[in-house]
Amino acid sequence: MDHLVIVPCHGIYRHGPPEQDSSWFIAEFQAGESKEFCTHIRTACELASRDNQATLVFSGGQTKLEAGPISEAGSYMEAAVELGLLGESLLLRIQLEEYSRDSMENLAYSISCYRESHEDQMPSKITVVGWGFKEERFRRHAAALGVSIEYVGCGTPTHKAAAEAGEARTLAAYHTDPLGNSGELLAKRRTRNPFARQIPYKDEICARLVW
């Protein structure tokens, strides 16, 4: 299996209908976006189901104190189960990357997670499924890490103009600091680790990022 499909996670599913906000731990600005999270999940599951050489990785750590020690990645898998998206074949090709705290780590740690179970081999193809407005950010991450990706953008944020303005500021920060290893980018990462977890990954890609 040499195709890595990555779903960067944006919230923590708890229980109930996955397309309802009440079923998620999400930030106030994300109100109305749970159905779009389901679009990301559905799109990635369908993509991986069509390719029996694909490994599907849900990526996201234990980022919310109020949710307890539940990872975004694990909760997305639970949402996928609730949505009826995980057939037996796909279920055997899923991995959970449960440490990442931002988009750079989503990409880097998902690759590290994949390599752990594939004899340290790099995937020959990497596809990221996420918000359309974040495509440029992920392409810059890939360039900074020295990898190539394909990107499948889907879903529209509730507050599109505000999301795009925020994205412009984030892109400017990554332009100055491509790996996010200092300043506001590193500070934001560290606020998203309320349970003081430590990463297990040891490969050279992971080693380039400051925890």
Side-chain angles (χ1 to χ4, degrees):
M1 292 185 285
D2 58 358
H3 180 192
L4 169 58
V5 179
I6 303 170
V7 183
C9 301
H10 301 285
I12 295 178
Y13 171 73
R14 39 180 159 185
H15 56 74
E19 294 187 336
Q20 295 182 8
D21 284 358
S22 59
S23 300
W24 293 78
F25 289 100
I26 54 175
E28 185 175 346
F29 73 88
Q30 295 174 302
E33 293 181 357
S34 58
K35 62 183 183 298
E36 305 294 6
F37 301 162
C38 293
T39 297
H40 298 165
I41 295 168
R42 186 174 290 108
T43 300
C45 287
E46 290 173 352
L47 177 63
S49 293
R50 292 195 301 268
D51 181 0
N52 61 14
Q53 294 301 306
T55 296
L56 174 60
V57 174
F58 293 116
S59 174
Q62 297 175 2
T63 58
K64 296 184 182 296
L65 184 63
E66 64 271 25
I70 299 171
S71 73
E72 294 177 350
S75 80
Y76 265 52
M77 182 171 172
E78 291 296 328
V81 170
E82 187 68 21
L83 290 165
L85 298 172
L86 301 185
E88 182 177 353
S89 172
L90 181 56
L91 190 60
L92 297 174
R93 294 184 282 115
I94 289 178
Q95 291 182 248
L96 302 180
E97 187 292 294
E98 300 183 280
Y99 294 88
S100 60
R101 303 162 297 175
D102 66 5
S103 54
M104 172 58 83
E105 291 183 345
N106 286 142
L107 180 57
Y109 294 172
S110 291
I111 294 170
S112 298
C113 182
Y114 173 94
R115 292 177 69 179
E116 280 189 338
S117 61
H118 291 79
E119 299 181 345
D120 203 35
Q121 296 299 305
M122 286 287 292
S124 62
K125 179 180 180 181
I126 302 171
T127 302
V128 179
V129 179
W131 292 116
F133 73 92
K134 290 190 176 182
E135 178 174 357
E136 178 61 24
R137 187 200 303 195
F138 275 93
R139 293 199 180 280
R140 292 191 190 186
H141 291 342
L145 293 173
V147 300
S148 297
I149 64 168
E150 295 186 7
Y151 195 90
V152 178
C154 52
T156 302
T158 302
H159 305 289
K160 186 171 183 289
E164 291 175 343
E167 184 65 9
R169 292 190 293 272
T170 300
L171 285 174
Y174 273 113
H175 178 74
T176 303
D177 181 12
L179 294 173
N181 279 342
S182 62
E184 62 180 297
L185 294 172
L186 180 59
K188 184 178 288 188
R189 274 184 196 157
R190 288 178 169 169
T191 66
R192 294 174 177 168
N193 188 21
F195 300 100
R197 304 185 81 203
Q198 297 296 314
I199 52 171
Y201 312 120
K202 305 298 182 183
D203 68 332
E204 67 278 8
I205 288 181
C206 176
R208 297 178 62 193
L209 303 185
V210 174
W211 179 253

